[in-house]
């Protein structure tokens, strides 16, 4: 029985749950990991598959979730991810998506698809191996490119996510756009978000939506599409039918119809990516979940402000 009462005065409710399965990552992207800080996680407190399923079930009973996106950190470092996906399907939620850096994807693809995965966003910030390495601190871009090919061949819906950094990979926008076009998949360019250590640090690497649009317009004719409700990206279509998106938290905030709730690997929920802290639903009694969801909904804002919490904790 789903409650429909958890809705704010703007009509916002939770329909999509993003789960950060681990804050650990096998990349160390410059905008996500504080430079010089070693990544660690206290394994004792991280949720087990059974705990994830129990929390997701309770949230689903309250709000009637439509979509679950598994993310992180790097979600493919959570070894039981396929078991978790099967469990989520058994709860009656079939729209299960994954956001990954792709490093481990090819090896896990069959199991993930057998479990019920249908859609994957793969992060790729550059095609040039040197630029890729300078951002991710990882050498093997081939693994990511192979993962994209294998996921397409397996019949998954595949999208590419690219964070654009001025002076670092802005010259990769057109090669990446052409790469995605040649594979008939969509690519979304992300504006840099003031999350984690970037929150209080001025950065001159920000590259905005208008500049991305201008750059792509220089090689093809494009038309802006109407944004579908609660989508993170605004999309453009080229005259040849290729679609690309921009996730413009700064230039074009999309808070007004946001339906996302986040759950981190410690069992805390967040109603907004800019929330300063999460609400513990791991140890709180079941009776408090409605209250926790209402508190989370009240965290929603009207424009993106960012937070000290890095994406790898809260789930990008
Ligand atoms: N490890 C997975 C991956 O790389 O896709 C999932 C987690 S990662 C945090 C999810 C997405 O968040 C990636 O596309 C990453 O580029 C993006 N991201 C992380 N920090 C960001 C920031 N400060 N601004 C914009 N995007 C960011």
């Amino acid at each position: 029985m789903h409650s429909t009462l958890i809705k704010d005065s703007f009509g916002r409710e939770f329909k999509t749950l993003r789960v950060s399965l681990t804050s650990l990552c096998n990349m160390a992207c410059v905008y996500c990991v504080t430079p010089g800080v070693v990544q660690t996680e206290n394994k004792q407190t991280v949720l087990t598959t059974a705990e994830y399923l129990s929390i997701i079930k309770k949230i689903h009973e309250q709000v009637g979730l439509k979509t679950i996106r598994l993310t992180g950190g790097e979600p493919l470092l959570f070894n039981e991810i396929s078991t978790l996906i099967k469990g989520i399907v058994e709860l009656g939620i079939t729209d299960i998506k994954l956001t990954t850096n792709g490093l481990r994807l090819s090896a896990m693809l069959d199991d993930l698809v057998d479990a019920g995965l249908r859609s994957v966003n793969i992060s790729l910030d550059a095609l040039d191996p040197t630029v890729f390495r300078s951002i991710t601190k990882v050498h093997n871009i081939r693994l990511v490119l192979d993962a994209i090919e294998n996921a397409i061949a397996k019949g998954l819906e595949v999208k590419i996510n690219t964070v654009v950094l001025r002076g670092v990979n802005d010259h990769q926008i057109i090669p990446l756009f052409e790469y995605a076009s040649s594979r008939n998949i969509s690519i979304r360019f992300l504006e840099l978000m003031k999350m984690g250590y970037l929150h209080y640090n001025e950065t001159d690497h920000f590259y905005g939506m208008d500049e991305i649009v201008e750059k792509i317009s220089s090689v093809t004719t494009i038309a802006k599409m109407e944004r579908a409700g609660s989508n993170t990206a605004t999309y453009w279509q080229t005259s040849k039918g290729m679609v690309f998106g921009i996730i413009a938290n700064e230039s074009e905030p999309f808070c007004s119809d946001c339906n996302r709730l986040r759950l981190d690997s410690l069992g805390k929920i967040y109603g907004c990516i800019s929330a300063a802290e999460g609400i513990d639903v791991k140890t709180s009694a079941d009776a408090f979940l409605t209250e926790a969801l209402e508190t989370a909904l009240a965290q929603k804002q009207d424009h993106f402000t960012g937070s000290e919490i890095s994406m790898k904790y809260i789930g990008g």
Side-chain angles (χ1 to χ4, degrees), residues 13-302:
E13 53 187 337
F14 295 129
K15 288 293 163 198
T16 297
L17 178 67
R18 290 199 176 195
V19 187
S20 175
L21 291 182
T22 169
S23 62
L24 291 179
C25 193
N26 44 4
M27 289 188 179
C29 298
V30 283
Y31 42 75
C32 196
V33 175
T34 315
V37 170
V38 177
Q39 303 188 67
T40 54
E41 189 164 64
N42 182 349
K43 290 222 161 48
Q44 253 107 51
T45 56
V46 169
L47 297 183
T48 61
T49 301
E51 286 170 328
Y52 275 121
L53 286 173
S54 162
I55 295 174
I56 293 170
K57 179 169 186 279
K58 284 186 231 163
I59 295 174
H60 184 46
E61 283 166 359
Q62 294 267 326
V63 304
L65 292 169
K66 295 253 185 302
T67 301
I68 298 222
R69 178 170 294 283
L70 301 174
T71 178
E74 174 47 42
L76 298 184
L77 295 178
F78 185 79
N79 285 328
E80 292 184 14
I81 186 168
S82 294
T83 311
L84 179 64
I85 292 174
K86 273 189 207 133
I88 296 171
V89 172
E90 279 163 19
L91 296 178
I93 309 165
T94 52
D95 189 21
I96 303 171
K97 303 177 176 190
L98 175 72
T99 301
T100 174
N101 62 32
L103 287 178
R104 299 185 87 185
L105 184 61
S106 295
M108 298 171 77
L109 202 50
D110 289 349
D111 283 350
L112 291 165
V113 172
D114 288 349
L117 184 73
R118 297 288 170 267
S119 170
V120 62
N121 289 356
I122 302 179
S123 301
L124 178 67
D125 292 340
L127 281 176
D128 178 318
T130 308
V131 180
F132 176 83
R133 193 173 64 227
S134 74
I135 296 173
T136 62
K137 311 291 180 271
V138 163
H139 294 259
N140 209 340
I141 190 175
R142 195 68 258 160
L143 284 177
V144 182
L145 298 176
D146 287 349
I148 293 170
E149 303 298 343
N150 291 335
I152 295 171
K154 193 78 187 164
L156 283 175
E157 181 195 27
V158 179
K159 291 181 192 155
I160 294 176
N161 280 351
T162 301
V163 180
V164 184
L165 303 171
R166 180 180 306 285
V168 179
N169 68 342
D170 50 323
H171 62 295
Q172 294 289 288
I173 292 174
I174 300 299
L176 281 162
F177 169 75
E178 285 172 349
Y179 167 84
S181 304
S182 69
R183 275 137 188 97
N184 204 21
I185 56 178
S186 73
I187 180 163
R188 289 109 50 84
F189 296 99
L190 282 79
E191 288 183 350
L192 183 62
M193 293 158 72
K194 290 190 147 228
M195 300 292 294
Y197 83 99
L198 292 178
H199 192 51
Y200 297 116
N201 284 283
E202 280 307 313
T203 170
D204 41 16
H205 291 306
F206 180 83
Y207 198 94
M209 178 177 79
D210 290 349
E211 288 174 286
I212 298 169
V213 168
E214 197 183 312
K215 198 158 242 207
I216 297 180
S217 308
S218 71
V219 293
T220 182
T221 311
I222 58 174
K224 194 172 185 176
M225 298 166 75
E226 199 166 323
R227 180 175 156 268
S230 76
N231 252 7
T232 51
T234 303
Y235 284 94
W236 281 256
Q237 194 167 30
T238 70
S239 46
K240 290 189 183 143
M242 153 76 185
V243 167
F244 74 93
I246 301 182
I247 301 181
N249 277 279
E250 297 285 350
S251 306
E252 210 168 82
F254 38 86
C255 303
S256 61
D257 52 10
C258 174
N259 66 4
R260 283 169 288 285
L261 173 70
R262 292 179 144 81
L263 169 66
D264 73 11
S265 58
L266 305 178
K268 290 185 188 164
I269 57 170
Y270 305 75
C272 177
I273 196 169
S274 299
E277 55 187 40
I279 304 145
D280 188 355
V281 295
K282 182 185 177 186
T283 52
S284 61
D286 291 3
F288 292 113
L289 186 66
T290 309
E291 208 179 303
L293 287 167
E294 282 166 356
T295 308
L297 195 59
Q299 291 178 327
K300 287 209 177 296
Q301 304 186 357
D302 57 7

